Amino acid sequence: MEVDCLPFRETGYFSSLICDYLDEKKELQPFYGRFPHLENFGAQITEKQISFPQENRTVLVQSLKRQYGAVSMSEATAAAIDSLKHENTFTVVTGHQLNLFTGPLYFLYKIVSTINLTKRLKESYPKYNFVPIYWMATEDHDFDEINYFNFNGKKIQWNFDAKGAVGRLPNEGLHEVFEVFSAVLGSTPHANELRLLFEKAYLQHSTLAGATRFLANALFGDEGLVAVDGDDADLKRLLIPYVKKDVFEKLPHQKVGETIEALTGTSADYTIQVNPREINYFYLTDGLRERIVEKNGSYFVNDTDFEFSAAELEKELEAHPERFSPNVIARPLYQEVVLPNLCYIGGGGELAYWLELKSYFEAVGVVFPMLLLRNSALVISRKQADKVKKLNLSIQDLFLRQNQLINKKIRQISNIDIDFSPQKKVLEEQFEQLYRLAEQTDKSFLGAVKAQEAKQKKGLDKLEKRLLKAQKRKLKDHVVRLTDLQNQLFPNQSLQERQLNFSELYLEYGQQLKHHLFDALDPLKQEFLVIKL
């Protein structure tokens, strides 16, 4: 295995906000706490240890043991859960939707990054324990975002009339999905392992949350991964004071709104990931997850007949906290209230909305976690690596947009000079003389000279493009090989990790895939990785 690195900024796939964060631009420092350098975790540990109540640990451990009651968890995961009762144990968290069969490949990168960071922290801070957490987005209701995965360029999709929180969905209709997937897997030993994994997860569990917990445990239980389901009455009881500040005082709406204004004022290149609502909670029951809204002092649940006075809604919250489901603004706070957490590991989009939240956390007295961009990677087989070498491509070349890549390589290999820059320079020198002449005569002549220069430069551009097009036809074989390779590595001209499901790589490498990822992914090395297997 070989690993090459590329700065995130040079890939062209990451926003200026995230690249500036990685560069620790001073303008962004007010929007986060400590940057995730290894040496900064000591102070984060001390701050979280002082602020995190022991009673929250007790509730957390009891809830996790109940959630894992029907799962044959690994010894490592059982030990990790037990350790959370002790004040010297802390967590590192990543979160992910309940995508069918893990969804895109980066699910694995998130988990591996999280586990690897806990190992690094244990080496550097040996008197403490560190537990990797996968926060399952069981309360999401965007079923269309999670009901499929891609396999060999085809969408394997679960068709189901879903309503409410996805974690509560029954696994009906997944037998048909299993049959479709099984038919295209083949009959190799690795294919049979995947077939059995899917069957045990989705056909032997009654809900999507249960299936996903089993899957996470099967893949990473031996590493002590703990999956947390926030759709839990006891955990949400710890959240009640913060729900009140949101629903009745509109605190996050105010604080996050102020932060967004400050953040966008820092740079015109920064776009806002999410906007706060006046109330950032949904009302959640079986088959229902709808926004809570206030109108004229009364509280309503969108598209239902539910209506509450302020006193009635507060009573409902005290009696049934499990019915109050946080949205994307409120969920991060929930996570930090119930977990002794040090660091959140997420993708660029996730970190972008976390950067909106620090003042909100400060206002409610909750420690803001360190924010770490998850590892991103491009996996290249030996055969593909050989093609890259034969085509004389650099790592940077692979990340060019396809048209840019083709144009660049055609210019390099063509026996004709397609660059008309010398001709443009000669043209500019000729027009300099005309500009001097125009200055000496009628100034109105100057506009005509400028127009003529622009016309002739445009003509040269057209000729250059036609010559390039002609050379593409002449060198068609090279263009085809080039585009075929890039299409393999960047399906749908997107990052591989956002398109492929892990099963495609598992068919090739089996259990070794995880070992390769654990060896290659360094969560504190903030660069894009190219892994040659």
Side-chain angles (χ1 to χ4, degrees), residues 35-55:
F35 195 81
H37 296 301
L38 195 58
E39 61 271 18
N40 288 345
F41 277 88
Q44 191 77 17
I45 289 169
T46 300
E47 186 177 13
K48 191 68 178 184
Q49 190 172 42
I50 292 171
S51 67
F52 196 75
Q54 183 62 40
E55 53 265 32

Side-chain angles (χ1 to χ4, degrees), residues 335-355:
Q335 166 193 303
E336 298 303 313
V337 166
V338 302
L339 295 173
N341 191 45
L342 304 174
C343 179
Y344 184 78
I345 297 180
E350 292 174 282
L351 263 57
Y353 69 71
W354 273 91
L355 289 171

Side-chain angles (χ1 to χ4, degrees), residues 5-284:
C5 301
L6 187 69
F8 281 106
R9 195 181 295 274
E10 292 184 16
T11 68
Y13 284 95
F14 293 83
S15 70
S16 58
L17 174 62
I18 294 304
C19 293
D20 288 350
Y21 173 70
L22 295 178
D23 291 340
E24 298 181 69
K25 290 286 183 70
K26 66 178 182 179
E27 293 82 3
L28 283 176
Q29 289 174 6
F31 301 99
Y32 61 92
R34 299 176 181 89
F35 195 81
H37 296 301
L38 195 58
E39 61 271 18
N40 288 345
F41 277 88
Q44 191 77 17
I45 289 169
T46 300
E47 186 177 13
K48 191 68 178 184
Q49 190 172 42
I50 292 171
S51 67
F52 196 75
Q54 183 62 40
E55 53 265 32
N56 287 27
R57 290 182 179 275
T58 300
V59 173
L60 174 64
V61 171
Q62 290 174 347
S63 292
L64 288 173
K65 287 185 175 180
R66 184 177 62 255
Q67 290 181 18
Y68 271 87
V71 179
S72 179
M73 61 178 151
S74 67
E75 291 183 9
T77 295
I81 292 174
D82 280 333
S83 75
L84 285 167
K85 70 180 70 166
H86 304 301
E87 65 174 13
N88 68 332
T89 299
F90 299 90
T91 64
V92 175
V93 178
T94 193
H96 197 69
Q97 295 172 295
L98 306 192
N99 296 75
L100 187 61
F101 211 45
T102 77
L105 183 58
Y106 68 77
F107 171 81
L108 266 67
Y109 300 165
K110 279 185 167 183
I111 302 292
V112 172
S113 296
T114 302
I115 293 170
N116 275 351
L117 181 56
T118 61
K119 293 177 179 178
R120 290 285 301 278
L121 290 173
K122 185 63 177 176
E123 292 171 0
S124 297
Y125 302 93
K127 69 178 183 178
Y128 299 102
N129 299 314
F130 304 94
V131 175
I133 299 287
Y134 161 38
W135 185 281
M136 302 192 299
T138 54
E139 295 180 58
D140 280 2
H141 57 250
D142 296 320
F143 181 69
D144 290 343
E145 292 184 4
I146 68 162
N147 68 339
Y148 70 94
F149 63 95
N150 297 319
F151 182 79
N152 287 341
K154 296 181 180 179
K155 181 183 282 190
I156 308 291
Q157 184 166 323
W158 177 22
N159 296 310
F160 183 71
D161 184 18
K163 296 178 181 178
V166 296
R168 300 184 181 188
L169 294 179
N171 290 339
E172 296 174 7
L174 281 169
H175 185 80
E176 288 82 357
V177 177
F178 173 69
E179 294 297 332
V180 171
F181 185 41
S182 180
V184 296
L185 268 176
S187 56
T188 66
H190 292 161
N192 291 331
E193 291 169 12
L194 288 169
R195 192 176 281 110
L196 185 61
L197 182 62
F198 189 101
E199 183 178 14
K200 285 186 174 181
Y202 294 100
L203 304 190
Q204 297 181 16
H205 291 85
S206 59
T207 66
L208 188 57
T212 305
R213 183 185 290 107
F214 172 87
L215 193 59
N217 189 64
L219 291 171
F220 296 108
D222 289 345
E223 299 289 340
L225 180 71
V226 176
V228 177
D229 184 352
D231 189 3
D232 183 289
D234 290 339
L235 292 179
K236 283 190 176 177
R237 190 162 295 283
L238 300 175
L239 191 62
I240 288 176
Y242 306 95
V243 180
K244 290 180 180 180
K245 286 185 178 294
D246 187 307
V247 174
F248 301 116
E249 298 179 29
K250 312 294 191 294
L251 186 63
H253 181 256
Q254 174 198 341
K255 291 297 181 181
V256 178
E258 291 171 354
T259 300
I260 287 173
E261 187 175 346
L263 189 60
T264 53
T266 303
S267 172
D269 293 331
Y270 297 164
T271 56
I272 294 308
Q273 194 69 20
V274 294
N275 284 290
R277 296 187 181 275
E278 289 193 349
I279 296 175
N280 295 284
Y281 283 84
F282 295 88
Y283 191 75
L284 176 67

